[in-house]
Amino acid sequence: MSNGNKSLKNFFNSNKFIGSFQSYKDIKKVNTVNDCCFVGRSNVGKSSMINAVTKTKNLAKTSKTPGRTQSINIFLINENINLVDLPGYGYAKVSKVIRDNLGILIEEYIMNQLNLIHAYVLIDAKVGVKNSDIDMFDLISEAERNFSIVFTKIDKCSQSYLSNLENSMQSLMKSYKKYFNNFFFTSTKKNEGIINIQKDIYTLSKQK
Ligand code: GDP
């Protein structure tokens, strides 16, 4: 393992679960470091991704029941940056009331959390972009936050499918060019692309 990768590993090994929050007012002042958040449709692979990035098995529970995580979970990485796990959105089987409440929690957090410096929007590569994802890009841009797109489960897709996806997403991102940063292509199953997200978060953690 190169020295760079070793220090990345040490960086993510030092992590601490701060708590699980159901209302935004409890989150505002958990600590003074910057936040980056992970957000995406239910079942996109968000818990698997957070576990892979932090190299822990159970930091975020992987559940087979979409829409179950109905709170915001915060993990402090290396005393430097909060990794914020937002509830999944867009799952049809969740009742409208719960769905609206989840939406409000996500919206309140993204609009008001001034120390939020980056949002990672997860998109299942095979499912592609849905209207609720576009709503998310719009919300993040309205809040004037930078974001990146993390394609998940790329092990299910062919190389040519992925390059078409990248081309069409590049066109879509022209509408968001002020806030859009990067694409990440990942598979937690094959451990692909995870290190690039870790490097990105490490770089963010240096930002004051
Ligand atoms: P969440 O609801 O967004 O937190 O998603 P989970 O992490 O619970 O994953 C949802 C489902 O997708 C589970 O059945 C996972 O095993 C599966 N999954 C997650 N990541 C991958 C991946 O990289 N490749 C494949 N093939 N399946 C994945």
Side-chain angles (χ1 to χ4, degrees):
M1 193 184 280
S2 74
N3 280 341
N5 289 355
K6 206 165 176 179
S7 48
L8 258 189
K9 189 166 182 263
N10 288 338
F11 182 79
F12 283 96
N13 268 345
S14 160
N15 59 59
K16 181 160 89 189
F17 177 59
I18 301 288
S20 194
F21 303 89
Q22 256 129 19
S23 77
Y24 175 66
K25 67 177 185 342
D26 300 328
I27 295 174
K28 265 190 257 175
K29 295 198 181 76
V30 291
N31 57 33
T32 56
V33 305
N34 285 331
D35 287 4
C36 66
C37 71
F38 281 63
V39 67
R41 286 164 54 81
S42 300
N43 214 35
V44 71
K46 185 163 53 66
S47 307
S48 307
M49 180 59 64
I50 291 171
N51 290 337
V53 164
T54 55
K55 298 290 177 211
T56 46
K57 286 231 157 59
N58 285 313
L59 210 47
K61 280 199 191 89
T62 342
S63 104
K64 295 232 182 283
T65 319
R68 212 179 66 173
T69 331
Q70 294 171 5
S71 51
I72 294 184
N73 300 309
I74 304 185
F75 310 96
L76 175 63
I77 311 290
N78 203 46
E79 307 289 334
N80 268 151
I81 188 160
N82 293 315
L83 198 162
V84 178
D85 176 17
L86 295 180
Y89 55 78
Y91 185 62
K93 282 192 187 154
V94 175
S95 82
K96 183 159 173 6
V97 174
I98 295 178
R99 213 160 58 201
D100 288 351
N101 285 339
L102 288 184
I104 289 165
L105 188 54
I106 294 175
E107 193 167 330
E108 268 188 312
Y109 171 80
I110 290 181
M111 290 305 289
N112 298 314
Q113 190 74 349
L114 294 178
N115 63 346
L116 171 64
I117 56 170
H118 203 86
Y120 294 94
V121 183
L122 277 61
I123 308 264
D124 185 322
K126 198 160 181 187
V127 173
V129 177
K130 298 286 179 190
N131 284 342
S132 51
D133 298 315
I134 307 266
D135 290 344
M136 186 50 65
F137 305 146
D138 289 342
L139 172 66
I140 293 169
S141 306
E142 198 185 321
E144 305 184 331
R145 315 287 166 181
N146 292 327
F147 71 98
S148 291
I149 292 179
V150 177
F151 293 108
T152 61
K153 312 187 195 181
I154 61 162
D155 55 280
K156 290 180 165 183
C157 305
S158 70
Q159 206 43 253
S160 63
Y161 173 92
L162 291 171
S163 66
N164 284 340
L165 179 66
E166 181 168 9
N167 286 341
S168 69
M169 285 302 286
Q170 237 147 18
S171 314
L172 180 64
M173 285 305 116
K174 284 184 185 144
S175 312
Y176 300 96
K177 60 171 176 277
K178 193 162 172 205
Y179 300 107
F180 170 70
N181 283 25
N182 241 323
F183 292 125
F184 294 94
F185 288 86
T186 67
S187 163
T188 53
K189 200 172 170 185
K190 297 268 165 74
N191 194 28
E192 274 180 56
I194 311 297
I195 197 165
N196 298 328
I197 296 181
Q198 290 179 316
K199 284 179 184 165
D200 207 57
I201 295 175
Y202 181 76
T203 306
L204 286 176
S205 77
K206 305 284 171 211
Q207 199 172 310
K208 288 293 160 238

